[in-house]
Amino acid sequence: PIVNNYNNNNNEGGEGNDIDPAMSSATISSYGVMDVLLETLCNRVHYPNLERIVVVGHSAGGQFVHRWGLSSNSWCFGDDTHDNTNKNNGAKTEGDNDGDVDNADDEDGATLPSVRLVAANPRSYAYLDERRYLPKHAANVGAITEAHSKQNKEEEEESNTALSPFDELEYRPPTPSEKDECQAYNRYCWGLEDNPDLPAPYVTGNIDRLLSTDPRRRRDDGEDDRDDGDNLDAKNADEVLFLRYASRDVVYLSGERDTKALGNQLCHEDGYQGPSRRERSERFYASLQVLGEEALESCRSRRDDDGDDDDATVGKGGKVEDLVVGEGSAYEGGFCARQGEDGAMRVHGRIVVKDVGHDHALIFQSAEGQEGMFSN
């Protein structure tokens, strides 16, 4: 993950940039700067009529938007039910525990602007668990990728046709031998495991704080034990982060012709994500749907066990008002409540931009790009 990022303790940038040793001790995160900018716009005192915020990025900017949206704990996303500090939108502010609103003149002060994140043509994604789309029979990953890349060059694909050979792939963890070939595949920034070579204190710190609020992190005697990370296993931790990310409004734009082979899927080419940006978009989006189905099934099981289908409600603009369902994650209720009565499930949105490659201007000026940024 190092060669494709400029790292100033977790800032992402373009390819081939070296780390400046003089800046290696910097503690200001570019993601933290985005939090401040976002929360400034969400301040109802200064922007009482703002209804929507759209944050977009292309290529390296798409990576930035995606990973910031995944790891940010900003209250402006409207999904934080536990930490009400630093709010100036008519809710509590730091040190204010009496429940009084700070902006009494704003009758609807608790209503936040909607926030949409648009990640266009990123080179890679941070996966939310250890699985990837790999050959079903643990065949040589490089060989199957090379063969499929050649096929893509020979065939003209329609925009609604997946380039990824999903019939040959399954969403699974790497085998021991595959992992040996790419031991860093799930370390940040391709996954969310700690990476000693690419420290990201903003990301790891925010995820730790998020997990510390999960209601399952309790001692057997019922006392709060949120400082003990052992009380939430890796699977549940992945689920908590997924459920929050799934609750946010995210759209992925992918150029139909952004199919240039970036190399094989091995470690120096973004860790088992796919040979081209378009295929990487397909596979990451597909992984979110798998995680969503698993989370929805978990929610159904809890509701069947509890016999209660009214634990969660969804407020204006799809914002979750009551997120707790039984002993599940604090975000599970909102995720499940947003699914259709027929059980249909979709996590985020993905749009392929017809006849466009890796070009930010054409992506954002296209009808598909405009839809991705501004549709309801």
Side-chain angles (χ1 to χ4, degrees):
I2 301 170
V3 296
N4 298 319
N5 292 275
Y6 167 75
N7 177 271
N8 180 7
N9 263 16
N10 60 5
N11 298 328
E12 296 194 28
E15 301 174 12
N17 292 313
D18 296 325
I19 299 172
D20 182 354
M23 298 297 291
S24 62
S25 62
T27 58
I28 298 175
S29 166
S30 54
Y31 294 162
V33 173
M34 286 297 297
D35 286 342
V36 173
L37 176 60
L38 185 68
E39 290 166 12
T40 298
L41 293 173
C42 284
N43 187 329
R44 286 306 195 191
V45 174
H46 300 303
Y47 301 98
N49 299 318
L50 183 61
E51 296 181 357
R52 171 178 287 192
I53 299 169
V54 182
V55 183
V56 303
H58 180 266
S59 196
Q63 294 190 57
F64 182 98
V65 170
H66 155 60
R67 291 185 175 91
W68 169 63
L70 175 61
S71 58
S72 174
N73 287 351
S74 174
W75 51 263
C76 194
F77 285 101
D79 51 20
D80 186 350
T81 61
H82 302 290
D83 181 7
N84 289 322
T85 61
N86 295 322
K87 292 187 178 181
N88 289 310
N89 66 323
K92 296 181 186 177
T93 58
E94 187 172 7
D96 177 11
N97 296 315
D98 59 7
D100 293 335
V101 296
D102 295 285
N103 183 13
D105 294 333
D106 186 359
E107 295 180 355
D108 196 22
T111 302
L112 296 167
S114 65
V115 178
R116 171 167 292 181
L117 307 177
V118 181
N121 288 336
R123 182 187 180 100
S124 68
Y125 300 83
Y127 274 70
L128 280 81
D129 71 357
E130 65 176 357
R131 293 174 290 180
R132 300 292 186 273
Y133 278 99
L134 295 166
K136 290 182 178 179
H137 304 293
N140 181 282
V141 176
I144 195 172
T145 302
E146 181 179 355
H148 190 63
S149 296
K150 182 178 180 181
Q151 175 185 339
N152 290 346
K153 293 178 181 179
E154 295 173 349
E155 297 180 2
E156 186 68 25
E157 300 283 352
E158 296 294 334
S159 62
N160 61 353
T161 302
L163 295 181
S164 296
F166 283 111
D167 59 333
E168 302 174 31
L169 303 172
E170 62 179 333
Y171 192 55
R172 62 171 176 82
T175 63
S177 61
E178 289 168 338
K179 193 168 184 178
D180 285 343
E181 294 179 354
C182 192
Q183 294 185 12
Y185 85 99
N186 204 39
R187 295 175 188 166
Y188 188 79
C189 59
W190 298 333
L192 293 170
E193 294 177 2
D194 288 343
N195 186 348
D197 297 319
L198 190 65
Y202 173 97
V203 175
T204 56
N206 275 3
I207 292 175
D208 286 345
R209 283 188 288 275
L210 169 67
L211 300 182
S212 73
T213 66
D214 192 85
R216 287 170 289 189
R217 183 163 290 180
R218 305 281 178 173
R219 292 206 306 261
D220 292 339
D221 58 9
E223 294 296 320
D224 194 342
D225 196 14
R226 294 179 178 179
D227 292 330
D228 183 0
D230 293 337
N231 285 330
L232 201 63
D233 63 30
K235 183 178 185 300
N236 285 331
D238 290 341
E239 183 183 81
V240 172
L241 185 60
F242 164 76
L243 288 167
R244 186 184 71 171
Y245 187 51
S247 75
R248 294 178 173 177
D249 185 0
V250 184
V251 175
Y252 309 95
L253 296 177
S254 181
E256 179 187 18
R257 299 187 182 278
D258 199 352
T259 57
K260 177 183 177 182
L262 302 174
N264 60 35
Q265 292 190 66
L266 302 183
C267 263
H268 58 286
E269 285 296 344
D270 302 325
Y272 295 139
Q273 298 207 20
S276 68
R277 289 184 181 87
R278 180 173 156 193
E279 288 185 74
R280 293 174 184 185
S281 170
E282 291 171 354
R283 297 186 193 189
F284 179 72
Y285 186 69
S287 78
L288 295 178
Q289 311 318 304
V290 173
L291 293 172
E293 289 289 355
E294 293 172 349
L296 193 57
E297 183 59 34
S298 175
C299 177
R300 289 172 181 145
S301 297
R302 292 193 212 282
R303 290 184 176 181
D304 289 343
D305 292 341
D306 295 342
D308 184 0
D309 199 39
D310 298 321
D311 288 313
T313 58
V314 179
K316 181 180 178 181
K319 299 218 179 281
V320 178
E321 296 173 345
D322 179 5
L323 295 169
V324 179
V325 174
E327 294 300 317
S329 163
Y331 298 94
E332 185 176 58
F335 173 79
C336 294
R338 267 193 292 273
Q339 307 313 316
E341 294 181 358
D342 59 355
M345 188 282 309
R346 187 185 73 172
V347 180
H348 299 161
R350 179 176 177 269
I351 302 174
V352 176
V353 181
K354 190 171 179 61
D355 294 328
V356 173
H358 197 69
D359 187 301
H360 67 280
L362 295 178
I363 285 284
F364 294 135
Q365 292 172 6
S366 68
E368 298 92 336
Q370 297 287 306
E371 176 188 352
M373 290 186 287
F374 302 122
S375 66
N376 293 324

